[in-house]
Amino acid sequence: VQLQASGGGLVQTGDSLRLSCAPSRPILSSWHVGWFRQAPGKERQFVAAISWREGNTQYTDSVKGRFKISRDNGENMVYLRMDSLKPEDTAVYYCAVRQLRNRTPLAAAGSLYDFWGQGTLVTVSS
């Protein structure tokens, strides 16, 4: 599965962005899709994940209430709506797919995800 992330850019504190993730093939109902980010000089960090069938979501604490992950099953797309952006949100954002056969709880560990996109840069100026 190839993943194309887009929608990044340069914004100011408090602005909003919507990132998109376009998989190269249909996402199966048992799979999960996650968003991760990596700031300069820092380790990759989990941001959010969604289960394709149920639409269950999970977020890292620092983005709860500001970010929303969603999916469009018909369009086979995943989105990350980011509101009230802060300078500390500056990072390259990656989407990733976790291939599963059975219903499984969402996970934040990047090592559990099987395919990764190339990333899109989000820069939030103060």
Side-chain angles (χ1 to χ4, degrees), residues 4-68:
Q4 182 72 38
S6 62
L10 173 63
V11 296
Q12 295 183 334
T13 298
D15 285 350
S16 298
L17 278 176
R18 189 182 77 159
L19 305 184
S20 300
C21 177
S24 60
R25 56 150 292 171
I27 298 295
L28 300 184
S29 60
S30 58
W31 293 5
H32 298 167
V33 180
W35 284 97
F36 293 77
R37 66 186 180 186
Q38 188 166 20
K42 295 188 177 181
E43 294 186 353
R44 183 178 62 196
Q45 177 191 29
F46 168 78
V47 177
I50 190 166
S51 61
W52 197 253
R53 174 169 42 213
E54 300 88 1
N56 296 330
T57 59
Q58 180 179 344
Y59 298 90
T60 191
D61 286 345
S62 63
V63 307
K64 285 180 181 177
R66 300 189 298 121
F67 290 13
K68 181 178 180 180

Side-chain angles (χ1 to χ4, degrees), residues 103-121:
R103 188 168 297 182
T104 305
L106 292 167
S111 59
L112 296 176
Y113 288 75
D114 302 290
F115 298 98
W116 294 78
Q118 87 291 355
T120 184
L121 176 62

Side-chain angles (χ1 to χ4, degrees), residues 68-121:
K68 181 178 180 180
I69 188 172
S70 62
R71 89 269 193 242
D72 185 325
N73 299 66
E75 295 295 324
N76 199 53
M77 292 287 292
V78 176
Y79 303 100
L80 184 68
R81 170 74 181 189
M82 306 186 295
D83 295 323
S84 303
L85 282 162
K86 305 175 181 180
E88 51 263 44
D89 295 318
T90 295
V92 177
Y93 283 72
Y94 301 89
C95 59
V97 163
R98 184 183 180 196
Q99 292 181 306
L100 297 160
R101 293 190 176 185
N102 304 305
R103 188 168 297 182
T104 305
L106 292 167
S111 59
L112 296 176
Y113 288 75
D114 302 290
F115 298 98
W116 294 78
Q118 87 291 355
T120 184
L121 176 62

